[in-house]
Amino acid sequence: MFSPLDLPIWDYNQNYEVVDAWLNGDRVRLEFAGPVGSGHAIVDLENHVAVELQYLDVLYIVRDLSITLHGDVGRTTST
């Protein structure tokens, strides 16, 4: 899940660590912190997909998980 945070755009040289986690139904919330900042991620355990990521004061949310899971994002159909 946190592999995207290892990308250079997030300054991957700065370490972060999970400092708290809790289960809420079929989702787990992971709180993490490091020298550059803190944030959280919510992972849908049934589908194994991160549905929310808040890091560096930006919140990313998956709004329609069914579209994401079926790979329809950005797909066009021709007739």
Side-chain angles (χ1 to χ4, degrees), residues 14-75:
Q14 301 295 326
N15 293 328
Y16 58 89
E17 63 183 66
V18 174
V19 294
D20 200 2
W22 61 92
L23 185 63
N24 183 9
D26 65 347
R27 293 184 176 190
V28 64
R29 180 181 173 112
L30 305 168
E31 297 284 336
F32 53 90
V36 210
S38 61
H40 73 269
I42 298 176
V43 179
D44 180 316
L45 297 175
E46 181 179 341
N47 296 299
H48 309 281
V49 173
V51 293
E52 184 173 306
L53 173 65
Q54 187 262 317
Y55 188 62
L56 297 178
D57 298 324
V58 179
L59 179 62
Y60 303 93
I61 299 174
V62 173
R63 298 209 186 275
D64 190 341
L65 188 57
S66 66
I67 290 174
T68 304
L69 292 175
H70 298 297
D72 295 335
V73 176
R75 180 179 294 171

